């Protein structure tokens, strides 16, 4: 058994196990609380971002990949995920898209073929699942082109501790440290912090680019 040198909030086996069941109900349930996913992809257009090569880390069942193919029909789009159950669903949805490539791996592979060549990296509800998100942010800087962009949508914070505990049980660590770290690492183009339809938590959408000294 191989050991991964990155850290999600739980180990890979635990996370894969979680998605073995949750992949089956993912698309039917997550629209209820994973807000801002379609919005951030639309917002890339407003920000005048026109990528040729896009990577979505933690693409899951491929919902965002579909929106990305529609918005950027000429782009090469790579979807990466460590859960093969989630990717199986994405594969089925995207089988007729010749420019989409799916990779079953975590985002820290030294030998990732497109290192330094990606124009846009998308993280949609992934970073809060990775305790060591600063490691992933460092990987982003190695993977993006010099003028590359990052687009992130994720949980921001909640004032209700019992809700945070429930989210932790579901592999999500929710606090405002993540957004602070992102702002420290990228040149911000746009930030929106919003509440979902339930008042328990807020989520953020962030678009930024690599800073000149990276
Ligand atoms: C909450 S789902 C989000 C899926 C999709 N991005 C969306 O917005 O619907 C999180 C996904 O990220 C994947 N994931 C979490 N950490 C990852 C990592 N470090 N590398 C690759 N995939 C990861 C999980 O396996 C899961 O499929």
């Amino acid at each position: 058994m191989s050991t991964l040198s990155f850290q999600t909030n739980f180990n890979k086996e635990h996370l894969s196990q979680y998605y073995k069941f949750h992949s089956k109900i993912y698309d039917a349930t997550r629209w209820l609380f994973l807000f801002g996913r379609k919005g951030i992809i639309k917002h890339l257009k407003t920000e005048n971002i026109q990528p040729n090569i896009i990577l979505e880390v933690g693409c899951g069942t491929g919902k965002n990949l579909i929106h990305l193919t529609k918005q950027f029909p000429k782009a090469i789009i790579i979807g990466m995920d460590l859960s093969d159950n989630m990717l199986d669903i994405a594969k089925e949805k995207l089988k007729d898209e010749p420019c989409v490539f799916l990779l079953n791996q975590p985002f820290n592979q030294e030998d990732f073929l497109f290192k330094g060549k990606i124009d846009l990296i998308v993280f949609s509800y992934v970073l809060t699942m990775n305790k060591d998100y600063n490691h992933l942010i460092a990987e982003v800087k190695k993977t993006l082109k010099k003028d590359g962009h990052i687009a992130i949508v994720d949980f921001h914070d909640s004032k209700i501790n019992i809700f945070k505990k429930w989210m932790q049980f579901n592999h999500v660590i929710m606090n405002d440290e993540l957004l602070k770290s992102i702002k420290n690492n990228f040149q911000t183009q746009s930030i929106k912090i919003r509440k979902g339809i339930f008042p328990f938590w807020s989520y953020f959408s962030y678009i930024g680019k690599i800073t000149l000294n990276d």
Side-chain angles (χ1 to χ4, degrees):
M1 193 177 71
S2 60
T3 310
L4 297 168
S5 62
F6 80 110
Q7 224 188 344
T8 56
N9 294 340
F10 298 83
N11 63 37
K12 188 199 172 206
E13 284 71 31
H14 197 142
L15 202 65
S16 301
Q17 204 57 35
Y18 176 83
Y19 280 116
K20 205 170 239 175
F21 167 70
H22 279 269
S23 59
K24 297 187 196 350
I25 57 162
Y26 190 88
D27 286 338
T29 52
R30 282 354 188 236
W31 64 272
L32 276 164
F33 50 94
L34 299 188
F35 301 117
R37 292 181 291 170
K38 200 169 177 182
I40 196 162
I41 294 170
K42 272 197 186 151
H43 192 48
L44 289 165
K45 208 170 196 171
T46 332
E47 291 294 325
N48 215 11
I49 295 168
Q50 289 296 335
N52 294 317
I53 309 184
I54 304 170
L55 169 66
E56 184 185 1
V57 178
C59 62
T61 59
K63 179 178 157 45
N64 298 328
L65 296 176
I66 290 183
H67 294 310
L68 286 165
T69 57
K70 296 212 166 88
Q71 184 145 317
F72 304 110
K74 292 190 181 139
I76 291 174
I77 302 174
I78 303 158
M80 180 187 282
D81 204 290
L82 44 80
S83 158
D84 48 351
N85 293 96
M86 293 290 266
L87 277 183
D88 282 346
I89 296 171
K91 234 179 258 168
E92 185 53 33
K93 278 187 199 153
L94 292 147
K95 60 177 189 290
D96 297 326
E97 294 291 345
C99 294
V100 177
F101 301 89
L102 298 176
L103 299 177
N104 186 195
Q105 62 182 67
F107 180 53
N108 74 337
Q109 303 275 306
E110 283 308 316
D111 55 355
F112 179 52
L113 210 63
F114 289 89
K115 252 195 175 151
K117 296 188 175 70
I118 304 284
D119 298 297
L120 169 68
I121 298 185
V122 178
F123 285 95
S124 164
Y125 290 96
V126 171
L127 290 175
T128 49
M129 294 195 115
N130 287 263
K131 212 180 258 166
D132 194 6
Y133 53 75
N134 282 319
H135 171 77
L136 297 193
I137 287 171
E139 282 298 310
V140 166
K141 293 182 173 191
K142 289 189 228 157
T143 308
L144 280 178
K145 270 186 181 163
K146 279 293 163 217
D147 55 351
H149 285 84
I150 182 163
I152 304 167
V153 58
D154 216 320
F155 295 107
H156 182 235
D157 209 355
S158 171
K159 291 192 172 76
I160 303 169
N161 273 337
I162 194 153
F163 179 71
K164 284 193 182 190
K165 288 225 162 72
W166 165 249
M167 292 307 284
Q168 201 168 334
F169 176 73
N170 283 287
H171 298 198
V172 174
I173 303 285
M174 224 190 246
N175 63 52
D176 60 359
E177 291 302 315
L178 170 61
L179 186 55
K180 282 185 198 151
S181 172
I182 292 165
K183 286 199 275 190
N184 284 339
N185 277 283
F186 298 98
Q187 205 181 309
T188 300
Q189 260 183 245
S190 147
I191 300 185
K192 290 177 189 164
I193 298 175
R194 292 200 166 126
K195 289 215 182 314
I197 44 175
F198 309 110
F200 307 149
W201 75 91
S202 53
Y203 68 95
F204 71 89
S205 308
Y206 178 94
I207 296 177
K209 62 181 187 182
I210 236 165
T211 49
L212 289 176
N213 47 1
D214 281 326

